[in-house]
Amino acid sequence: MAISNSTTLNDLVGQIVSADAQSAAYANRVMRPLVRGYAVPPGAGSIVVPRFQSVAVGSLTEGVAPSSTTMNTDGVTLTPAERGTYVQISKRALHADPFQDLAPYGDQLGRALAADEDAQILNEMNSFSIHLNDTSDDLSLNTLYQAIAYVEGANIPGPYFAVFHPYSWARIRASLADAATYARVGTTTVEGFGQGFTNANGYVGSPFGIPCFISTQVPTDTGSTPNRRHNMFFSREAFGAAWIKDIGIDVDDNVVSRAIDLMAWYSFDSSILVDNYGVIMEDNLA
């Protein structure tokens, strides 16, 4: 009778560890769902992401054909580059491991890749030209008010998102004593904390209708005195991301070294699409 054993199941190791890494990455990355994302088509090394901005509207004369309006459009080219890490695990260590498999290693590598992708996006966002609360003060609810007023007053297309470092979010949350502030704009029902984006990683609530998220990858300005955190408030149309290969792990048996090779990597690029569609909300480093 045929039986599956450690030899015949070796070909499943790669699938198991890669699947576990992808599951961990999808469960931990914050930024990908908040920006415009594109998979680069097969056979192409880059993709041009269009930027659609305002269109002028004027008066019309009855019976007279108007002149064609030139749309102010261009694009940003995204060229994904490979990022990753290589880990070699001794089979001796694996045999002595109480887990007796590679799934926990895949989980750790997947979380590391997810954090790296978030850092890539947030560090690019750190180039937004507009800074709020740049007077060396602690972040306050008033800065969030200013950010909301800015995007709404400039007719910047939504949806809008805010991403805070956990310490900066704590300062905002401390000012939100009334749960009613978490209701969506245009509703009278108090929806409370955690509504609407409960499946999105890092989601912490929607004060004044703005979905807010936390990430430890929020960049820090160490060149200022005092050091400052740069929390982000932006429209989804402000930023684009592209990838050729999504997060995953290649697994190979290294016979000579009596080890298993884990190559965790992805191919990714990101860029600001429209600079004035996002702002940086500065906060003192806690």
Side-chain angles (χ1 to χ4, degrees):
M1 180 173 63
I3 184 171
S4 297
N5 54 35
S6 58
T7 300
T8 62
L9 291 179
N10 274 345
D11 60 342
L12 296 179
V13 171
Q15 299 178 36
I16 293 171
V17 69
S18 186
D20 200 74
Q22 289 177 337
S23 177
Y26 297 163
N28 285 275
R29 65 184 175 192
V30 174
M31 299 304 298
R32 177 81 70 90
L34 309 184
V35 301
R36 293 176 62 185
Y38 299 87
V40 176
S46 62
I47 189 171
V48 177
V49 180
R51 303 191 299 180
F52 294 95
Q53 301 187 47
S54 60
V55 177
V57 177
S59 61
L60 302 176
T61 302
E62 182 180 356
V64 177
S67 299
S68 175
T69 298
T70 300
M71 294 191 68
N72 181 22
T73 64
D74 57 4
V76 173
T77 300
L78 297 180
T79 304
E82 295 176 1
R83 297 183 61 81
T85 184
Y86 165 61
V87 176
Q88 186 179 84
I89 300 176
S90 164
K91 289 183 178 179
R92 175 66 179 85
L94 182 62
H95 294 156
D97 194 309
F99 290 109
Q100 288 291 301
D101 63 52
L102 291 174
Y105 303 98
D107 181 86
Q108 185 174 359
L109 290 171
R111 285 186 280 111
L113 292 179
D116 183 75
E117 181 182 287
D118 283 346
Q120 294 299 304
I121 293 176
L122 286 164
N123 286 332
E124 286 286 341
M125 285 187 174
N126 203 28
S127 296
F128 283 141
S129 298
I130 300 173
H131 288 239
L132 302 178
N133 191 43
D134 57 352
T135 56
S136 299
D137 294 328
D138 288 349
L139 184 67
S140 69
L141 199 56
N142 186 58
T143 305
L144 181 59
Y145 294 152
Q146 292 175 2
I148 296 172
Y150 167 74
V151 295
E152 292 181 340
N155 289 320
I156 293 172
Y160 310 135
F161 301 108
V163 179
F164 298 90
H165 188 277
Y167 285 121
S168 295
W169 170 250
R171 287 174 169 155
I172 295 293
R173 184 66 184 92
S175 301
L176 297 173
D178 185 358
T181 59
Y182 285 89
R184 288 178 299 171
V185 172
T187 65
T188 56
T189 303
V190 177
E191 296 174 321
F193 203 72
Q195 292 288 332
F197 284 82
T198 53
N199 292 326
N201 305 323
Y203 176 72
V204 288
S206 295
F208 319 109
I210 304 299
C212 293
F213 298 80
I214 56 173
S215 172
T216 56
Q217 304 306 313
V218 165
T220 300
D221 178 11
T222 57
S224 60
T225 304
N227 293 342
R228 306 281 281 168
R229 283 198 175 91
H230 286 181
N231 307 282
M232 306 299 169
F233 190 105
F234 56 95
S235 161
R236 175 174 283 166
E237 300 301 311
F239 202 86
W243 57 93
I244 294 178
K245 178 190 179 298
D246 208 345
I247 288 174
I249 295 184
D250 295 331
V251 183
D252 197 14
D253 191 3
N254 192 323
V255 178
V256 177
S257 298
R258 285 99 52 218
I260 292 179
D261 294 337
L262 303 179
M263 186 65 234
W265 66 287
Y266 67 111
S267 185
F268 184 80
D269 191 18
S270 60
S271 178
I272 293 174
L273 300 179
V274 185
D275 177 67
N276 64 347
Y277 280 8
V279 301
I280 293 173
M281 301 177 291
E282 293 194 18
D283 183 24
N284 278 331
L285 193 64

